[in-house]
Amino acid sequence: MNPYETFPEKPISGPGPMKAAFLARGIQSFHAACAFVHGLPYGYNSDRDDPMILFKEGKGSCTTKHAVIAALALELGLPVAKHIGIYAMTEALVTGTQALLETFQLPYVPMIHCFLVCGNDRVDLTAGNRNGKNRAIDAFLHTEAVAPHISAKEEYLRYRTALENLLATRDELRGVKLKTVLKAREMGIALIRAHVGG
């Protein structure tokens, strides 16, 4: 992952709901907006499908943090897009994962994460946010660009589609049933949530 300063810079001006939200807080440039969002506490929002929930609650997850910056980039005409990726969750990444792997007989738990992309640069505005992970995610099994405010339902459907492909194509996952991974994923989410803020 790269720092957000690798992104192009641009003043915030003109119409647009995201521009207005940042300007109302005295934030006048794209980099300043990235710094503001990165500095907000990591936390799960009450309604991740509300485009303005991050501002209302003063916190955000990878989903909502990257959604507002991707939406702002779109309004500014900057080539910065939100991506979702599937990564291999292991004990090294999230403490307590090894017990899950042993329970479900998996080499890792395929989990979803959001980040920003501009050219060859990837930026994670939740890095260092006490987000439940021991370190930043630097490798993905699958990535794809998505709309800034992709719904929770659509994100999950994309995850399932990509997961089915991984189960069919990756040697270490051959023979693993989809329902097994989905159950492990549910427990993996709970495990990460238990570590948030720690």
Side-chain angles (χ1 to χ4, degrees):
M1 292 287 178
N2 305 99
Y4 64 79
E5 291 88 352
T6 60
F7 285 159
E9 173 67 306
K10 193 171 185 179
I12 299 174
S13 63
M18 281 302 157
K19 289 178 182 177
F22 282 107
L23 289 171
R25 289 159 177 80
I27 299 163
Q28 301 182 350
S29 75
F30 185 67
H31 282 185
C34 290
F36 170 79
V37 170
H38 180 256
L40 288 175
Y42 186 92
Y44 295 95
N45 299 105
S46 60
D47 181 6
R48 55 173 279 180
D49 290 338
D50 177 352
M52 297 295 172
I53 197 68
L54 176 134
F55 299 107
K56 295 173 183 176
E57 297 184 345
K59 64 180 180 181
S61 65
C62 67
T63 299
T64 54
K65 284 194 172 204
H66 297 124
V68 297
I69 292 298
L72 177 64
L74 196 60
E75 289 181 8
L76 290 171
L78 293 175
V80 176
K82 180 179 169 181
H83 279 56
I84 57 172
I86 296 178
Y87 66 94
M89 190 172 100
T90 62
E91 181 71 21
L93 193 58
V94 178
T95 303
T97 302
Q98 188 58 38
L100 282 182
L101 304 185
E102 291 170 4
T103 297
F104 293 99
Q105 293 297 294
L106 293 171
Y108 49 77
V109 182
M111 300 289 284
I112 197 164
H113 188 61
C114 305
F115 53 96
L116 299 169
V117 174
C118 181
N120 293 321
D121 294 319
R122 291 177 172 175
V123 172
D124 182 354
L125 294 176
T126 68
N129 277 174
R130 296 166 72 181
N131 59 14
K133 302 175 185 69
N134 298 327
R135 57 175 171 77
I137 300 165
D138 53 15
F140 291 90
L141 306 170
H142 166 85
T143 64
E144 63 181 280
V146 296
H149 293 290
I150 182 174
S151 71
K153 180 179 179 180
E154 177 65 18
E155 182 182 282
Y156 176 73
L157 291 175
R158 288 185 182 227
Y159 167 79
R160 276 192 64 134
T161 298
L163 182 57
E164 288 171 350
N165 182 61
L166 291 173
L167 292 176
T169 59
R170 295 192 69 92
D171 288 341
E172 72 274 18
L173 295 175
R174 288 191 188 278
V176 175
K177 296 189 181 304
L178 178 64
K179 65 179 181 181
T180 299
V181 178
L182 294 177
K183 181 64 176 175
R185 172 185 174 271
E186 285 180 22
M187 296 180 70
I189 291 171
L191 182 62
I192 293 172
R193 282 178 178 258
H195 287 304
V196 168

